[in-house]
Amino acid sequence: MAVEYRGEKFAGYNKPKRTPNHPTISHVVLAKEGSTIKMILFGEQGASTAGKPKAGESAKMKAKRKSFKARHGKNIARGKLSAAYWANKVKW
């Protein structure tokens, strides 16, 4: 089910995609919660995040991940309509 929103095509609601041609933002998602629909840009282009935790992950990466989650905890808790929620889910 493809969805078009403001000239941008999405695979569906709540399905993030890369934005390779954007100079600063790495991802975009068409978020839907209830009847509210919102296009959210998130993530820094070229940021060296590790994605999901891996076995044998370095202590530096663990600390970096923990720091992000502590710093943005309140915004992550706001839910699907916040950029921090999607950055946490996709990049961290």
Side-chain angles (χ1 to χ4, degrees):
M1 172 188 109
V3 179
E4 190 168 334
Y5 185 78
R6 296 185 181 173
E8 188 83 28
K9 291 183 181 173
F10 295 90
Y13 296 112
N14 300 325
K15 296 187 186 297
K17 69 175 188 173
R18 295 275 300 154
T19 55
N21 297 327
H22 196 285
T24 56
I25 302 298
S26 67
H27 288 79
V28 64
V29 65
L30 188 60
K32 182 175 182 178
E33 195 168 47
S35 62
T36 307
I37 298 170
K38 186 176 177 182
M39 186 168 76
I40 299 172
L41 300 164
F42 66 94
E44 183 182 2
Q45 198 73 269
S48 60
T49 59
K52 298 297 177 194
K54 296 171 180 66
E57 183 174 64
S58 71
K60 183 179 177 184
M61 239 8 254
K62 284 182 183 175
K64 195 174 180 183
R65 182 184 317 283
K66 185 177 177 183
S67 179
F68 175 85
K69 292 177 186 283
R71 198 167 54 247
H72 298 287
K74 283 186 179 179
N75 291 326
I76 292 168
R78 286 176 43 206
K80 291 180 182 177
L81 297 179
S82 75
Y85 172 88
W86 290 105
N88 180 54
K89 186 172 180 166
V90 174
K91 296 195 74 123
W92 294 97

